[in-house]
Amino acid sequence: MWFMRQAGRSLPEYHRARGDTALLEAVARPDLVTELTLQPVRRYGVDAAVLFSDIVVPLAAIDFGVDIVAGTGPVIERPFAGRADLDRLRPPDAEELAHVSAAVRLLVAELDVPLIGFAGAPFTLASYAVEGGPSRHHSRTKAMMLGEPGLWLDLTERLADVAIASLRAQVAAGAGAVQLFDSWAGCLSPDHYRRFAAPASRRVLAAVAELGVPAIHFGVGAGELLEDMAVGADVVGIDWRVPLDAARSRLGPDVAVQGNLDPAACLAPWEKVAAEARSVLAANAGRPGHIFNLGHGVLPETDPAILQRLVDLVHRDGHAVEP
Amino acid sequence: MWFMRQAGRSLPEYHRARGDTALLEAVARPDLVTELTLQPVRRYGVDAAVLFSDIVVPLAAIDFGVDIVAGTGPVIERPFAGRADLDRLRPPDAEELAHVSAAVRLLVAELDVPLIGFAGAPFTLASYAVEGGPSRHHSRTKAMMLGEPGLWLDLTERLADVAIASLRAQVAAGAGAVQLFDSWAGCLSPDHYRRFAAPASRRVLAAVAELGVPAIHFGVGAGELLEDMAVGADVVGIDWRVPLDAARSRLGPDVAVQGNLDPAACLAPWEKVAAEARSVLAANAGRPGHIFNLGHGVLPETDPAILQRLVDLVHRDGHAVEP
């Protein structure tokens, strides 16, 4: 078990270590990334570390003009608007990813558990690039996707190259697994997902398979897309909207699942959190291939003491049943 | 066919008629509500009008302290925080809803097509009341729901009474159908929906059934909840995430469906919009009981000429196939 966003704003030691360092500045400092990544492993005894980073880091590395604004998220100075902008997108080279590789190497030397690296999936990165920031309706993205499908597919292929370069660097430096985050995929119909998002994501997953590490593929609100997202993935991350037994029956026995406690449930009193966590375990029914996690990232207002009890509960009760 | 938010910001005549009148002020003027509601019927020749209003109007009518802030949405001055706040919630009386009833009467006298009235479902109203406005994670709402289930159920029952009073007034004045909007239901797991949202919503739907008009039940991102939302409803509104054939097979032949073109698809060039609309019709495969609509509201930047062509296309090609 581990928690998406286990490192970060819910931990007092995170605020002490990061202070007012801007996020992209923090990510550029391997010593700080190492400390922030280790904090939740030390505190909770989770079974994996996840690199402290952001999905736009490789875009920042190639000077695409991205900033991360507190309270807003990634903001792109000059959004992707047409074919001329394709030239601004290329895979980052080893030097441009040196800070990432250095952090991963430091971490792997320190850790007794695997380090999970990650990248943003092409669709989600494309939405940030086109909208210029987080978007509620992804209107421009979808208008481009439908209206200029050739340009759109070129864009997602460039972003697949960006993701592949980033994941290769992380695995080469010692990451033992990767997660491909398609945070916004759930805004697509299955038909649009298959035509406009899946091709580039599958190329990323195939590149990960060649590296010999397992790939977790995760989207939010992506219940209708699970079968499509499973193609080429070892693990599918499930948000809390789909009960694990339903996810299992859609995906079959050959794919592992990750999830799926509602992060907001962790804000309730402990007995309620415990009941919710036991429901997740019961829905999985002891099937092997379950990584316990939340259905999305830890909310900043979460009490770390609750997450600690959750780790203890799952470590005590969350065993696979021998078939 | 009709469009959610067919009256509103996408129409130039809307901006001319409303000017800078605040939304709650506009809703209080039956003459203006009538004009804004009629505009899309005149322009497009859609098959139903939908009352120009907002789901928080009944809360404003009982002086719960709500404002609608442009660019933000409903904002609650003193959010619902505990048992003492239950006293602030009661069904609006006839006088408090007089402006709504007057607008409905004016409209019914003018219209050749049915008028659809609507209300916010208890869960969605509760989320606004507890969070104090629109919320991304519904954290406080869920913390209260899980942590204080007795208080939560009392809150949703009060809000069911509010919705019932509002819908009764609209139907008494001549509305021919109603839609219950559970905009935020899709943030709940099926288990939480059944325990914390469905009971109060079902009471609203039962009250509508007694009034003898059909009820449409709609949520966004609620693919996992469709079967539960169908209980007591005549029509289930489907967002674009669930293909209509999948929705049909989950719901069976006794429930009609409404939807489900992606509103963002309407921003593409016309040939692409037409192809998407034909896909929706093809997924329904001529089954009777399909109300063509978008999967969510019209986006403000939509070109009315596209919606006009869409109405014409569906009126030409969207016939039920005789079984």
Side-chain angles (χ1 to χ4, degrees), chain A residues 1-2 47 214-217 230 233-238 244-245 247-249 251-260 280-281 283-293 314 318-323:
Chain A
M1 79 174 295
W2 62 287
D47 304 316
I216 307 165
H217 198 186
D234 301 282
V235 185
V236 177
I238 313 290
L244 276 193
D245 44 354
R248 287 289 202 177
S249 68
L251 293 171
D254 297 333
V255 184
V257 294
Q258 174 176 283
N260 71 346
V280 170
L281 294 175
N284 184 62
R287 278 171 277 216
H290 174 212
I291 300 169
F292 192 100
N293 204 320
V314 174
H319 299 296
V321 175
E322 290 302 318

Side-chain angles (χ1 to χ4, degrees), chain A residues 78-83 85 88 129-130 144 148 151:
Chain A
R78 286 192 296 134
F80 182 92
R83 193 152 288 281
D85 289 319
R88 296 166 55 207
V130 171
M144 180 181 290
E148 300 175 83
L151 173 63

Side-chain angles (χ1 to χ4, degrees), chain A residues 142 186 192 241 250 262 276, chain B residues 142 186 192 241 262 276:
Chain A
K142 289 177 177 179
H192 287 174
R241 291 170 178 87
R250 281 178 215 170
D262 186 342
E276 297 291 318
Chain B
K142 290 177 176 178
H192 287 174
R241 291 170 178 88
D262 186 342
E276 297 291 318

Side-chain angles (χ1 to χ4, degrees), chain A residues 111-195:
Chain A
L111 283 164
D112 297 322
V113 293
L115 175 69
I116 301 174
F118 69 89
F123 174 77
T124 291
L125 290 178
S127 173
Y128 280 114
V130 171
E131 305 287 344
S135 164
R136 192 169 159 210
H137 298 296
H138 308 277
S139 313
R140 280 186 199 141
T141 307
K142 289 177 177 179
M144 180 181 290
M145 181 180 98
L146 288 167
E148 300 175 83
L151 173 63
W152 171 264
L153 290 174
D154 288 349
L155 168 60
T156 56
E157 289 301 335
R158 294 277 171 125
L159 291 168
D161 291 334
V162 169
I164 289 168
S166 168
L167 292 173
R168 275 196 186 128
Q170 293 174 62
V171 172
V178 302
Q179 177 155 312
L180 188 61
F181 273 99
D182 210 350
S183 317
W184 301 129
C187 78
L188 294 174
S189 70
D191 175 52
H192 287 174
Y193 181 77
R194 279 172 213 135
R195 286 156 64 199

Side-chain angles (χ1 to χ4, degrees), chain B residues 95-114:
Chain B
E95 201 181 317
E96 288 163 328
L97 292 173
H99 57 296
V100 177
S101 303
V104 171
R105 277 192 301 267
L106 286 171
L107 277 162
V108 171
E110 288 269 340
L111 282 164
D112 297 322
V113 294

Side-chain angles (χ1 to χ4, degrees), chain A residues 136-137 139 142-143 146-147 149 184 186-190 192 195 223-224 240-243 250 262 264-265 267-269 272 276 299 301, chain B residues 136-137 139 142-143 146-147 149 184 186-190 192 195 223-224 240-243 250 262 264-265 267-269 272 276 299 301:
Chain A
R136 192 169 159 210
H137 298 296
S139 313
K142 289 177 177 179
L146 288 167
W184 301 129
C187 78
L188 294 174
S189 70
H192 287 174
R195 286 156 64 199
E224 303 297 324
W240 67 94
R241 291 170 178 87
V242 184
R250 281 178 215 170
D262 186 342
L267 306 177
K272 307 293 181 174
E276 297 291 318
L299 294 169
E301 61 267 46
Chain B
R136 191 168 160 212
H137 297 296
S139 312
K142 290 177 176 178
L146 288 167
W184 301 130
C187 78
L188 294 174
S189 70
H192 287 174
R195 286 157 63 198
E224 304 296 323
W240 67 92
R241 291 170 178 88
V242 184
R250 280 177 217 172
D262 186 342
L267 306 177
K272 307 293 183 174
E276 297 291 318
L299 294 170
E301 61 266 46

